[in-house]
Amino acid sequence: MKTVKPTAKFWQRLLLWSIGGINLIVLMLLFSIWRTGDRALDFVGNLFRVSTTEPSIASSTSIAERMKNIQELSTTVQTIETVVPAAAERKIGDFSLATTKLLYIARGEIRAGVDLEELTPTDIKVTKNKIEITLPPAKILDSKIDVQNSRVYDYNRGFLNLGPDVAPQLQTLAQSKTLVRIVNRACSGDILEQANIRAKESIIQLLGATGAKDIIVKTTEPKSCKFTE
């Protein structure tokens, strides 16, 4: 007995059924879109819509808080060497018997900048594409002696070493005078003016990340920083 192989007509009918099924699905989709109307069209359109948002700038309060987190903006550091004398006398009544002298070669470091914790929201004006900020005045933030690179250059107790033997006390006195002297020398060298200029440059660079097209930074005239011995 011979087996009957599928004929070409069978495969044609199967192909037609498949095409018909696909057409039916497409018709159902079109019908559902027609029933839902504009909502469906809007949904499909939103899938392919590219939208852009306007860049925004943080408020003056948030900018002030962000900058306060930095606290002190140290912008200028100077290293200064100076020779500081110190002396002590040994007396008999009102008569000076001998004088002990000490020369101290000191190296100190002065750090100047702006204290951003002094900023308030009123110091910052924010508009659509512009930030205007007024910085606090630059000031001496820190002064210290580099003890490792400072030394006693000369210690002399005078005639027959009759002067008082007070080397530690004179060195301490010289170190206290050192801080005053290096601060005064730094102030004479316009350290605060330099700190103001560099603080302005640093803040402009910092605020550049906010997206503002126009950034104006104003500095405040520093107060006198000279000390008296």
Side-chain angles (χ1 to χ4, degrees):
M1 181 176 179
K2 296 182 180 180
T3 56
V4 180
K5 295 183 179 180
T7 61
K9 291 184 179 181
F10 172 78
W11 291 109
Q12 291 177 354
R13 285 197 296 268
L14 182 61
L15 180 61
L16 289 174
W17 292 339
S18 299
I19 295 173
I22 294 172
N23 290 335
L24 179 61
I25 293 173
V26 172
L27 288 173
M28 292 177 65
L29 286 174
L30 293 174
F31 179 74
S32 62
I33 292 174
W34 175 73
R35 290 293 303 271
T36 54
D38 294 337
R39 288 179 300 171
L41 293 175
D42 290 341
F43 174 76
V44 174
N46 289 333
L47 290 177
F48 300 98
R49 181 179 299 149
V50 178
S51 60
T52 58
T53 57
E54 289 291 329
S56 60
I57 303 174
S59 66
S60 58
T61 302
S62 62
I63 291 176
E65 291 301 321
R66 186 187 310 170
M67 296 180 70
K68 280 183 178 181
N69 289 334
I70 303 174
Q71 297 179 348
E72 292 179 346
L73 180 63
S74 178
T75 57
T76 305
V77 178
Q78 288 187 5
T79 300
I80 297 173
E81 279 194 355
T82 185
V83 178
V84 182
E89 287 184 334
R90 174 168 284 168
K91 290 185 176 183
I92 298 177
D94 292 334
F95 176 73
S96 176
L97 181 64
T99 301
T100 297
K101 296 180 179 179
L102 179 143
L103 283 179
Y104 188 68
I105 297 180
R107 176 178 292 183
E109 183 180 277
I110 304 296
R111 186 166 57 88
V114 174
D115 187 357
L116 295 179
E117 288 191 329
E118 297 178 1
L119 271 178
T120 64
T122 56
D123 296 321
I124 304 172
K125 298 178 182 178
V126 178
T127 56
K128 185 176 181 181
N129 292 310
K130 180 179 177 182
I131 298 177
E132 184 175 332
I133 180 171
T134 302
L135 294 176
K139 62 182 181 180
I140 301 296
L141 299 176
D142 187 32
S143 60
K144 61 183 180 182
I145 299 172
D146 184 356
V147 179
Q148 299 296 327
N149 292 295
S150 301
R151 68 187 190 278
V152 175
Y153 176 72
D154 184 52
Y155 180 66
N156 189 338
R157 294 178 61 191
F159 179 69
L160 297 177
N161 285 335
L162 294 177
D165 189 9
V166 287
Q169 294 90 326
L170 289 180
Q171 183 172 334
T172 301
L173 176 62
Q175 288 175 342
S176 66
K177 289 183 177 181
T178 295
L179 289 176
V180 175
R181 289 197 174 192
I182 62 176
V183 168
N184 286 343
R185 282 186 58 183
C187 292
S188 298
D190 297 330
I191 188 173
L192 296 188
E193 286 76 7
Q194 295 175 29
N196 257 348
I197 293 171
R198 294 180 182 177
K200 179 178 179 178
E201 295 171 351
S202 298
I203 295 301
I204 290 175
Q205 185 176 4
L206 178 67
L207 295 179
T210 61
K213 295 180 179 179
D214 193 9
I215 300 173
I216 299 174
V217 178
K218 298 179 180 179
T219 58
T220 303
E221 185 71 21
K223 300 176 182 178
S224 174
C225 68
K226 290 189 176 182
F227 295 162
T228 57
E229 298 188 33

